[in-house]
């Protein structure tokens, strides 16, 4: 059964972690060599993953573009040229010349290719929709067979079926669904497997990155397919994200549940678009979304890699599809890397703020504003410092100051007394700890409604205060986050989260 076969080329090609060091050492050896840093793909391979990009025929003649595509990325996906309207525009007349341009480029540059896509409702030539339903299965099987056979040995993974679901998790109407019902998916997978038994076979969709109705539908479908012994190796999550719609809910957990079925997962079309003109806070949010998507893949062993949906704004599909939005990619229109590129490097463990894959980029500092540790108020003063190389979006950040309620009433009042940020952008509340510990049965959670923190910048102090509504006393001396120092110092017992992920401090 193909769900357990490994083709190897798209997975776990472990490059020595010393690679980065080797590149640096090369500088000390011989004649003057330009400083070289590890590429995105080299950084990804230290985690056993690939880092890829979409590309296609229109942009490949651009020499500067092609040079970066070849050097920075270890995997490519044709954006359009393997779709049905290109490869079989007239029934029975196949044309693979454009797709071959992409596989030839990959072969010359030692890259793997994800094939995209065999069966999809879109970019489908009109003759397919005009067929009598009784002829659709034969036409689909023929198409899948011819194309998968043509690319046998050059395409390592196929998006066999693309976008089978509606947003609510029902099956999307298409000529295939109309003719065969849900069986078309198993039929397409079996045909692809027969034509190329070595290719990894995927189902691919958008808005299945997080937990929700649509990803639940994909989960139910793939479990059924596996139970029936249908050849299926992975689920592709497109990840066309937008800063105004939030980050997918529990992306890592969602990827892990597919992995737990014995499937690979991949982020197949990552981009993060921004309403234009983009402001600094939106760009910081964009960086954090790219980082969180990459981190989710790094955290899931069976996530094989990340593909961006072309690497530069110069050739992005976004402005043409979402009017008024853009700036979605890692490089600008002049092919220069943007700050979001550095953010992705950091998430992969190669940036200023990253070490060993931990892109911890914020630290908390604390001072006590409270000479009396045994009265009825707690008065921590906190500030955050950005120690990374990219801006951090403050609405993504939460800070926890851990303390004990000391057996008083359970209701609290919290206050921001002063901050150069403006207390109106600071949120605060008391939360009961999931795992209460002595000195840490609660925490003061501090958040932000807006703003971003540039590399090296500090929020400045945030003067906080809390009391029980019954005004009973605290004994702060044993509180986990409490200290008596009255000038700011790094505080590892105050924890900081970005997007729900711990980036600073040790939780009690
Ligand atoms: C897009 C291409 O990038 C565009 O050039 C084309 O005009 C439309 O399709 N989901 C997919 C991709 O699976 O095939 C789409 O690619 C983007 C959304």
């Amino acid at each position: 059964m193909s769900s357990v076969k490994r083709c190897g080329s798209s997975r776990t090609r472990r490059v020595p972690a010393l690679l980065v060091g080797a590149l640096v050492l090369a500088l000390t050896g011989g004649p003057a060599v330009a400083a070289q840093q590890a590429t995105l793909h080299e950084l990804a391979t230290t985690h056993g993953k690939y880092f890829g990009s979409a590309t296609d025929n229109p942009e490949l003649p651009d020499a500067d573009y092609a040079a970066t595509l070849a050097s920075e990325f270890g995997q490519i996906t044709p954006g359009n040229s393997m779709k049905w309207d290109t490869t079989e525009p007239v029934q029975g007349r196949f044309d693979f010349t454009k797709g071959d341009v992409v596989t030839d480029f990959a072969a010359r540059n030692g890259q793997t290719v994800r094939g995209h896509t065999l069966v999809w409702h879109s970019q489908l030539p009109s003759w397919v929709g005009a067929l009598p339903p009784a002829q659709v299965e034969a036409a689909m099987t023929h198409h899948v067979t011819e194309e998968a056979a043509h690319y046998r040995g050059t395409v390592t993974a196929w998006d066999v079926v693309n976008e089978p679901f509606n947003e609510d998790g029902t099956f999307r109407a298409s000529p295939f669904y109309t003719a065969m019902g849900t069986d078309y998916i198993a039929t397409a997978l079996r045909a692809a497997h027969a034509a190329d038994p070595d290719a990894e076979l995927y189902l691919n969709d958008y808005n299945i990155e997080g937990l929700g109705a649509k990803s639940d539908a994909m989960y139910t479908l793939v479990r059924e397919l596996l139970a029936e012994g249908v050849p299926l190796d992975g689920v592709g999550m497109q990840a066309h994200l937008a800063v105004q719609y939030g980050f997918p809910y529990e992306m890592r957990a969602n990827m892990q549940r597919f992995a737990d079925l014995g499937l690979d997962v991949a982020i197949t079309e990552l981009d993060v678009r921004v309403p234009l003109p983009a402001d600094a806070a939106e760009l910081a949010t964009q960086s954090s979304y790219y980082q969180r998507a990459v981190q989710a893949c790094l955290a899931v062993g069976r996530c094989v890699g990340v593909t961006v949906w072309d690497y530069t704004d110069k050739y992005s599909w976004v402005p043409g599809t979402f009017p008024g939005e853009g700036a979605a990619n890692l490089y600008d229109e002049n092919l220069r890397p943007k700050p979001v590129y550095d953010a992705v490097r950091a998430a992969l463990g190669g940036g200023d703020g990253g070490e060993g894959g931990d892109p911890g980029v914020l630290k908390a500092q604390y001072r006590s504003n409270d000479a009396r540790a045994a009265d009825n108020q707690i008065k921590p003063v906190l500030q955050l410092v950005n120690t990374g190389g990219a801006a951090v979006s403050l609405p993504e950040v939460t800070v926890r100051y851990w303390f004990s309620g000391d057996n008083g009433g359970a209701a609290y009042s919290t206050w921001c007394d002063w901050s150069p940020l403006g207390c109106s952008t600071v949120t605060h509340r008391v939360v009961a700890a999931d795992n209460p510990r002595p000195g840490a049965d609660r925490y003061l959670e501090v958040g932000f409604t807006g703003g971003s923190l540039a590399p090296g910048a500090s929020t400045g102090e945030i003067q906080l205060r809390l009391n029980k509504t019954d005004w009973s006393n605290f004994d702060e001396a044993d509180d986990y986050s409490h200290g008596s120092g009255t000038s700011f110092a790094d505080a590892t017992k105050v924890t900081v989260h970005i997007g729900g992920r711990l980036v600073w401090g040790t939780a009690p």
Side-chain angles (χ1 to χ4, degrees), residues 26-236:
L27 299 179
T28 58
V33 184
Q36 222 180 337
Q37 57 181 12
T39 67
L40 294 174
H41 180 64
E42 286 165 348
L43 292 171
T45 56
T46 67
H47 302 275
K49 327 269 182 194
Y50 60 79
F51 205 97
S53 174
T55 186
D56 221 322
N57 285 238
E59 50 264 44
L60 283 172
D62 177 340
D64 292 339
Y65 166 87
T68 298
L69 182 70
S71 63
E72 198 78 22
F73 301 95
Q75 175 276 324
I76 56 178
T77 304
N80 287 303
S81 62
M82 289 186 188
K83 291 172 180 172
W84 197 318
D85 58 353
T86 303
T87 53
E88 194 187 3
V90 175
Q91 186 167 18
R93 282 232 304 265
F94 289 90
D95 182 353
F96 297 116
T97 45
K98 288 184 172 160
D100 291 353
V101 169
V102 175
T103 53
D104 289 350
F105 183 92
R108 282 199 304 281
N109 294 294
Q111 295 163 314
T112 57
V113 180
R114 295 193 89 256
H116 176 79
T117 171
L118 296 172
V119 178
W120 189 27
H121 69 278
S122 184
Q123 293 177 273
L124 186 64
S126 54
W127 66 262
V128 180
L131 289 174
Q135 294 178 23
V136 172
E137 179 172 342
M140 182 190 80
T141 302
H142 188 216
H143 179 79
V144 170
T145 303
E146 289 294 314
E147 182 157 5
H150 177 82
Y151 288 111
R152 184 171 179 178
T154 52
V155 159
T156 53
W158 270 110
D159 291 331
V160 177
V161 176
N162 196 32
E163 302 182 353
F165 290 110
N166 296 313
E167 290 309 282
D168 64 359
T170 56
F171 281 91
R172 186 194 284 274
S174 70
F176 314 107
Y177 184 68
T178 303
M180 290 168 265
T182 59
D183 287 350
Y184 86 90
I185 295 171
T187 302
L189 287 163
R190 289 193 170 106
H193 183 61
D196 183 354
D198 295 325
E200 307 279 318
L201 305 183
Y202 279 69
L203 304 180
N204 193 53
D205 214 325
Y206 63 93
N207 288 350
I208 60 161
E209 297 81 16
L211 295 174
K214 197 171 179 182
S215 63
D216 285 351
M218 181 64 94
Y219 184 76
T220 302
L221 170 66
V222 300
R223 236 181 15 186
E224 287 167 5
L225 292 169
L226 292 173
E228 290 164 18
V230 176
L232 174 70
D233 301 288
V235 172

Side-chain angles (χ1 to χ4, degrees), residues 432-458:
D434 284 340
N435 300 306
R437 299 264 189 272
D441 56 28
R442 290 178 168 70
Y443 55 86
L444 172 64
E445 183 186 69
V446 181
F448 306 89
T449 59
S452 69
L453 201 57
S458 162

